[in-house]
Amino acid sequence: MLPTHVRHPVWLRLAQQPGVIVFASMFAIESAARALLVTVISLQALALLGDPRDVSLLFTGVGVTGLAASFLIPALVGVLGRRWCYTLGALLLVAAPAALATQTLTGQSTGMLIRVFGTACLGVTTSLYILQYIAKRDLTRAEPRRLQYSALAWAAGPALGVVLYEWLGPAWPYLVSSLAAALLLAFFWALRLQDSPLVTTPHPKPTGPARSIARFLRQPRLRLAWLIAFGRSTWWVFLFIYAPLYMVTSGHSGISGAVLVSAGNALLFLTPVFGRLARCHGVRFVIVTGYLLAGGATVAAALVFDNTIAGALSLLAASLGAVALDAVGNIPFLRAVRVSERPQMTTVFRTYVDFAELLPPALFAALLTFFDLRAVFWSEGLLMIGAALVVVRYLPTRLGKEAPIGPVKGYAG
């Protein structure tokens, strides 16, 4: 008797009905491509420029250019479609390491810019695909799962990249990063995601970047959600750039700085703990606690700055607070955004990443003109404590505790 039924592999069935696991896997592969270079880029910039202040200026310049370019992405999606915009982003992540591998200032700045724009393309299009394929009731489950799947990449990648760079040669981390980006592209095309409309609504929607930004700014809840995400993202930018510089300028090896960054990222495995904590005590409790822990421990690192071991341990404690913010930090946006405006508002909301990569390095570059690296630790710690005070003042106490996703009536953000 001829077989009439074929049992397809699990991955193929998942590809036909993409859900939380599929998108978490996509983000894990993307994270591997990016995490391998996150510390290498900072250390190579220091080697090329020779001064932490100049490194900050380089990151600021790249951030300005990347932010301006990111506003082209909605138009790019409209012209190319989400599938080809995502493909472009993955190809840019494949190409960026080649520019960085030249170990020249031109190649460094070009590779960083290509990498920033490619990441933005992936971030915007992934958000749109998630909003298309993930049910509203599953969004709060999707975010912690996404972080869980990426935890290994962010825990191992920063240290592994520097180990490959120093032990095997500069070409190796760039090659492995390109291969990971190529794997991401192959996995994406195997999914065969469709570009069907995200939201069908009779209400008019803003069509251009200026109108989307204006609409976003008119909604206090979205402004507060953006500030919460921006604050937590600035701390990770601080860790990725200045923790390796701290270790190197204190007389330790580049690998020790990379290990510190990897150890901080390894705490992402604890995100389910903070998810359960939010369900018991509310999202605001976790966000405020995370900000206070991250800010207080960063200030403590400034106080023990000359004792590198104590400073590194303080930064690890601060990382735990930042992980708490990562676990639930997007929920205020998910609760506040209107269904009919999700594509436009998501694009604007994601600019917190670009601003976090732009404003802190610019501020720190100004501080480093007059002070030593300790001033960067003080300013970042105080910023996080100030963010906690804003959250206490404006974020409603009832947010969380298994509440459904959707706009909150009377939300006074």
Side-chain angles (χ1 to χ4, degrees), residues 44-45 48-49 58 62 95-115:
Q44 183 167 287
L48 289 171
L49 296 170
L58 174 61
V62 171
L100 292 165
T102 63
Q103 295 186 281
T104 63
L105 185 56
T106 301
Q108 179 83 12
S109 55
T110 301
M112 290 172 64
L113 180 58
I114 292 174
R115 187 169 176 270

Short mmCIF file of all heavy atoms in Angstrom, two decimals, residues 44-45 48-49 58 62 95-115:
data_model
loop_
_atom_site.label_atom_id
_atom_site.label_comp_id
_atom_site.label_asym_id
_atom_site.label_seq_id
_atom_site.Cartn_x
_atom_site.Cartn_y
_atom_site.Cartn_z
N GLN A 44 38.21 47.78 19.27
CA GLN A 44 38.93 48.16 18.06
C GLN A 44 38.88 49.67 17.85
O GLN A 44 39.85 50.28 17.39
CB GLN A 44 38.34 47.44 16.84
CG GLN A 44 39.10 47.73 15.55
CD GLN A 44 38.73 46.79 14.42
OE1 GLN A 44 39.10 45.63 14.43
NE2 GLN A 44 37.96 47.29 13.46
N ALA A 45 37.74 50.29 18.19
CA ALA A 45 37.65 51.75 18.08
C ALA A 45 38.65 52.42 19.02
O ALA A 45 39.29 53.42 18.67
CB ALA A 45 36.23 52.20 18.39
N LEU A 48 42.09 52.17 17.51
CA LEU A 48 42.28 53.07 16.37
C LEU A 48 42.37 54.53 16.80
O LEU A 48 43.16 55.30 16.23
CB LEU A 48 41.13 52.90 15.37
CG LEU A 48 41.09 51.59 14.58
CD1 LEU A 48 39.78 51.48 13.80
CD2 LEU A 48 42.28 51.51 13.62
N LEU A 49 41.58 54.91 17.80
CA LEU A 49 41.48 56.33 18.18
C LEU A 49 42.33 56.67 19.40
O LEU A 49 42.76 57.82 19.54
CB LEU A 49 40.02 56.68 18.44
CG LEU A 49 39.10 56.57 17.21
CD1 LEU A 49 37.64 56.70 17.61
CD2 LEU A 49 39.46 57.62 16.17
N LEU A 58 32.88 58.99 17.97
CA LEU A 58 32.62 58.11 16.83
C LEU A 58 31.24 57.47 16.96
O LEU A 58 30.46 57.46 15.99
CB LEU A 58 33.70 57.03 16.75
CG LEU A 58 33.48 55.94 15.67
CD1 LEU A 58 33.44 56.56 14.28
CD2 LEU A 58 34.57 54.87 15.77
N VAL A 62 28.00 58.02 14.36
CA VAL A 62 27.28 56.88 13.76
C VAL A 62 25.82 56.90 14.19
O VAL A 62 24.92 56.63 13.39
CB VAL A 62 27.96 55.56 14.15
CG1 VAL A 62 27.11 54.36 13.73
CG2 VAL A 62 29.35 55.46 13.52
N ALA A 95 27.48 42.11 5.39
CA ALA A 95 28.51 42.94 4.78
C ALA A 95 29.29 43.78 5.79
O ALA A 95 30.47 44.06 5.58
CB ALA A 95 27.87 43.87 3.74
N ALA A 96 28.65 44.20 6.88
CA ALA A 96 29.30 45.10 7.83
C ALA A 96 30.62 44.57 8.37
O ALA A 96 31.60 45.33 8.48
CB ALA A 96 28.34 45.42 8.98
N PRO A 97 30.72 43.27 8.73
CA PRO A 97 32.00 42.78 9.25
C PRO A 97 33.16 42.92 8.26
O PRO A 97 34.31 43.08 8.67
CB PRO A 97 31.71 41.31 9.55
CG PRO A 97 30.26 41.26 9.83
CD PRO A 97 29.66 42.26 8.87
N ALA A 98 32.86 42.88 6.96
CA ALA A 98 33.93 43.03 5.97
C ALA A 98 34.57 44.42 6.07
O ALA A 98 35.79 44.57 5.97
CB ALA A 98 33.38 42.79 4.56
N ALA A 99 33.74 45.44 6.26
CA ALA A 99 34.27 46.80 6.42
C ALA A 99 35.04 46.92 7.73
O ALA A 99 36.13 47.52 7.78
CB ALA A 99 33.14 47.81 6.36
N LEU A 100 34.50 46.35 8.81
CA LEU A 100 35.19 46.42 10.09
C LEU A 100 36.52 45.69 10.08
O LEU A 100 37.48 46.09 10.75
CB LEU A 100 34.28 45.83 11.18
CG LEU A 100 33.01 46.64 11.51
CD1 LEU A 100 32.04 45.78 12.31
CD2 LEU A 100 33.38 47.89 12.29
N ALA A 101 36.60 44.61 9.30
CA ALA A 101 37.82 43.80 9.26
C ALA A 101 39.00 44.53 8.64
O ALA A 101 40.14 44.09 8.79
CB ALA A 101 37.56 42.50 8.51
N THR A 102 38.76 45.64 7.94
CA THR A 102 39.88 46.40 7.36
C THR A 102 40.74 47.04 8.44
O THR A 102 41.88 47.42 8.17
CB THR A 102 39.35 47.49 6.42
OG1 THR A 102 38.55 48.43 7.18
CG2 THR A 102 38.51 46.89 5.31
N GLN A 103 40.21 47.21 9.65
CA GLN A 103 40.93 47.80 10.78
C GLN A 103 41.46 49.20 10.45
O GLN A 103 42.57 49.57 10.84
CB GLN A 103 42.06 46.89 11.25
CG GLN A 103 41.56 45.56 11.83
CD GLN A 103 42.68 44.74 12.40
OE1 GLN A 103 43.41 44.07 11.65
NE2 GLN A 103 42.84 44.77 13.71
N THR A 104 40.66 49.94 9.71
CA THR A 104 40.96 51.34 9.42
C THR A 104 39.83 52.19 9.98
O THR A 104 38.72 51.69 10.21
CB THR A 104 41.10 51.59 7.91
OG1 THR A 104 39.82 51.31 7.28
CG2 THR A 104 42.17 50.69 7.30
N LEU A 105 40.09 53.47 10.17
CA LEU A 105 39.05 54.34 10.71
C LEU A 105 37.88 54.45 9.74
O LEU A 105 36.71 54.45 10.15
CB LEU A 105 39.62 55.72 11.01
CG LEU A 105 38.67 56.71 11.69
CD1 LEU A 105 38.13 56.12 12.98
CD2 LEU A 105 39.37 58.03 11.95
N THR A 106 38.17 54.52 8.44
CA THR A 106 37.09 54.56 7.45
C THR A 106 36.26 53.29 7.47
O THR A 106 35.03 53.32 7.46
CB THR A 106 37.67 54.79 6.05
OG1 THR A 106 38.40 56.02 6.02
CG2 THR A 106 36.57 54.82 5.00
N GLY A 107 36.95 52.14 7.49
CA GLY A 107 36.24 50.88 7.56
C GLY A 107 35.46 50.71 8.85
O GLY A 107 34.35 50.17 8.86
N GLN A 108 36.03 51.22 9.95
CA GLN A 108 35.35 51.13 11.24
C GLN A 108 34.04 51.90 11.22
O GLN A 108 32.98 51.38 11.60
CB GLN A 108 36.26 51.67 12.34
CG GLN A 108 35.66 51.67 13.73
CD GLN A 108 35.78 50.33 14.42
OE1 GLN A 108 36.50 49.45 13.97
NE2 GLN A 108 35.09 50.16 15.54
N SER A 109 34.09 53.16 10.79
CA SER A 109 32.88 53.98 10.79
C SER A 109 31.86 53.47 9.78
O SER A 109 30.65 53.43 10.06
CB SER A 109 33.24 55.43 10.49
OG SER A 109 33.96 55.55 9.28
N THR A 110 32.33 53.03 8.60
CA THR A 110 31.42 52.49 7.59
C THR A 110 30.75 51.21 8.08
O THR A 110 29.53 51.04 7.95
CB THR A 110 32.17 52.21 6.28
OG1 THR A 110 32.77 53.43 5.81
CG2 THR A 110 31.23 51.67 5.22
N GLY A 111 31.54 50.32 8.64
CA GLY A 111 30.97 49.06 9.14
C GLY A 111 29.98 49.29 10.27
O GLY A 111 28.93 48.63 10.32
N MET A 112 30.28 50.22 11.17
CA MET A 112 29.35 50.52 12.26
C MET A 112 28.04 51.08 11.72
O MET A 112 26.95 50.70 12.18
CB MET A 112 30.00 51.50 13.23
CG MET A 112 31.13 50.92 14.05
SD MET A 112 32.04 52.16 15.02
CE MET A 112 30.76 52.72 16.14
N LEU A 113 28.12 51.97 10.74
CA LEU A 113 26.91 52.57 10.18
C LEU A 113 26.07 51.53 9.44
O LEU A 113 24.84 51.47 9.60
CB LEU A 113 27.28 53.71 9.24
CG LEU A 113 26.12 54.45 8.59
CD1 LEU A 113 25.19 55.03 9.64
CD2 LEU A 113 26.63 55.54 7.66
N ILE A 114 26.71 50.70 8.63
CA ILE A 114 25.99 49.65 7.92
C ILE A 114 25.29 48.72 8.92
O ILE A 114 24.14 48.31 8.73
CB ILE A 114 26.95 48.85 7.03
CG1 ILE A 114 27.45 49.72 5.86
CG2 ILE A 114 26.28 47.59 6.48
CD1 ILE A 114 28.51 49.04 5.03
N ARG A 115 26.00 48.41 9.98
CA ARG A 115 25.45 47.51 11.00
C ARG A 115 24.24 48.13 11.69
O ARG A 115 23.23 47.46 11.94
CB ARG A 115 26.56 47.20 12.00
CG ARG A 115 26.24 46.15 13.03
CD ARG A 115 27.53 45.78 13.77
NE ARG A 115 27.29 44.84 14.83
CZ ARG A 115 27.01 45.17 16.09
NH1 ARG A 115 26.92 46.44 16.42
NH2 ARG A 115 26.80 44.25 17.01
#
